[in-house]
């Protein structure tokens, strides 16, 4: 029988700092993920044993976190052939209904206590989110969040998936727990709706990057610096509203056939001005970065690293020792730049999105 994890807003951890001498104890969510993941590693359910990864911080202002993970590049399942950002689910291909049941850590759902009734007097149906190990992990705790696998949803974000992704970050007391999403054409390897979650105990620049306000009342901003992208920010009490707006953006991108990556992490409140050291350490809310990018269909993979959700956020899992040892920040920027929209296209998209969101 599946282990069930039922949570509520009372389980969200709001008092989190990036740097703290007193590391907070693992939350109930953290204990479940970490213990379940470690158990599956001990039982040999992964494609390889993930030990402590060799890590270095690349010199330069971006503070890229480089990690050597050769086995992931060799052992991971061959990505499916993706031909369209709106490609339909294909039951004959690999999907998460075909996994070994022992790979499932738990089934998580939000309790209905305190939730408003629907207009007909019924309670809303809780979303069933299956949490399973990623058998080719890129870091400790690497798991997948799959909304009710039996629905056979394609890799296109839903409001519920976004909301549970944000809530998963809020359920963790560890500022290093991250969640992300790759669309089709943005290095998603399986066309069955899923998000990634994992722990990375290194600070990323995206957690405190300065922003340009676009529609502040909708918590919608533009990320300053490299790589260019959009940013949402939410505290625990705004998750439902912000998740809906994020989905308005990703639905627009899908409708325009624009590939995209998302990265969700604890972060300080967005600001367009330099903040104090104390303000930059605050992690009470969640930053959600969205990068529209050039779609890749059947494209040759990069030899050093692929450009997907974690690489855009500044976490670089390298496939080979040579590139890990020698790649510079300038070379990383050159590789990433090839997958970003040209400046004029991004500017045009920004104007379209602002106009679109203001009409909703």
């Amino acid at each position: 029988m599946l282990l069930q994890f039922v949570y509520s807003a009372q389980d969200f951890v709001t008092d989190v700092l990036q740097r703290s001498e007193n590391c907070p104890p693992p939350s109930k969510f953290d204990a479940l993920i970490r213990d379940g993941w470690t158990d599956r590693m001990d039982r040999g359910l992964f494609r390889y044993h993930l030990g402590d990864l060799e890590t270095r911080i690349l010199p330069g202002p971006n503070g890229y976190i480089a990690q050597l993970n050769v086995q992931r590049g060799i052992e991971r399942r061959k990505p499916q052939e993706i031909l369209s950002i709106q490609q339909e689910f294909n039951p004959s291909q690999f999907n998460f209904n075909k996994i070994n049941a022992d790979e499932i850590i738990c089934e998580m759902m939000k309790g209905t206590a305190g939730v408003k009734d629907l207009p007909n007097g019924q309670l809303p149906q809780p979303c069933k989110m299956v949490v399973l190990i990623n058998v080719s992990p890129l870091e400790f705790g690497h798991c997948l969040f799959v909304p009710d696998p039996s629905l056979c949803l394609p890799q296109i974000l839903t409001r519920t998936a976004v909301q549970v992704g944000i809530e998963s970050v809020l359920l963790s007391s560890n500022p290093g727990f991250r969640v992300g999403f790759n669309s089709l054409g943005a290095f998603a390897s399986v066309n069955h709706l899923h998000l990634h979650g994992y722990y990375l105990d290194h600070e990323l620049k995206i957690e405190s990057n300065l922003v340009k306000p676009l529609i502040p009342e909708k918590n919608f901003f533009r990320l300053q610096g490299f790589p260019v992208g959009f940013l949402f920010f939410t505290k625990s009490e705004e998750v439902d509203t912000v998740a809906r707006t994020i989905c308005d953006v990703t639905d627009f991108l899908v409708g325009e056939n624009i590939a995209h990556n998302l990265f969700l992490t604890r972060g300080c409140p967005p600001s367009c001005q330099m903040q104090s050291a104390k303000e930059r350490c605050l992690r009470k809310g969640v930053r959600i970065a969205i990068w529209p990018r050039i779609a890749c269909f059947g494209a040759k993979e990069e030899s050093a690293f692929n450009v997907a959700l974690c690489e855009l956020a500044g976490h670089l899992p390298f496939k080979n020792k040579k590139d890990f040892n020698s790649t510079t920040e300038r070379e990383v920027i050159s590789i990433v730049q090839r997958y970003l929209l040209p400046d004029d296209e991004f500017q045009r998209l920004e104007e379209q999105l602002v106009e679109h969101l203001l009409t909703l």
Side-chain angles (χ1 to χ4, degrees), residues 33-133:
I33 298 297
R34 298 173 80 92
D35 292 348
W37 195 90
T38 302
D39 170 72
R40 272 63 175 186
M41 180 63 74
D42 292 342
R43 288 160 58 188
L45 295 176
F46 290 81
R47 292 185 170 220
Y48 49 86
H49 180 81
L50 186 80
D52 291 334
L53 295 172
E54 189 176 348
T55 302
R56 74 183 186 100
I57 313 299
L58 270 58
N62 286 312
Y64 287 120
I65 312 298
Q67 290 189 316
L68 183 61
N69 193 338
V70 176
Q71 287 179 291
R72 177 171 165 83
I74 297 172
E75 302 290 347
R76 65 181 298 215
R77 183 181 290 107
K78 182 181 178 182
Q80 294 174 2
E81 183 180 20
I82 304 298
L83 303 173
S84 165
I85 293 164
Q86 303 180 45
Q87 192 162 311
E88 294 183 1
F89 178 87
N90 184 346
S92 67
Q93 291 186 316
F94 170 79
N95 61 75
F96 300 115
N97 293 308
K98 299 182 177 183
I99 64 165
N100 177 348
D102 288 340
E103 295 173 17
I104 298 174
I105 295 175
C106 69
E107 185 178 90
M108 62 183 287
M109 63 181 68
K110 195 172 186 179
T112 55
V115 178
K116 294 180 180 179
D117 291 355
L118 296 173
N120 59 10
Q122 294 181 329
L123 283 171
Q125 289 296 311
C127 167
K128 181 173 69 174
M129 184 73 73
V130 173
V131 185
L132 53 120
I133 60 170

Side-chain angles (χ1 to χ4, degrees), residues 322-335:
K322 179 183 177 182
D323 286 322
F324 171 77
N325 285 330
S326 65
T327 301
T328 65
E329 180 180 280
R330 179 174 295 193
E331 289 168 330
V332 170
I333 291 173
S334 177
I335 293 171

Side-chain angles (χ1 to χ4, degrees), residues 243-284:
R244 186 175 289 109
T245 309
I246 291 170
C247 232
D248 290 333
V249 170
T250 56
D251 283 348
F252 183 89
L253 296 176
V254 171
E256 296 294 319
N257 285 306
I258 298 173
H260 48 281
N261 303 96
L262 273 73
F263 193 81
L264 295 73
T265 182
R266 292 276 184 174
C268 65
S271 175
C272 55
Q273 298 178 329
M274 283 298 294
Q275 297 169 292
S276 68
K278 183 177 180 180
E279 288 173 323
R280 289 198 303 273
C281 284
L282 292 175
R283 295 296 182 270
K284 296 184 178 182

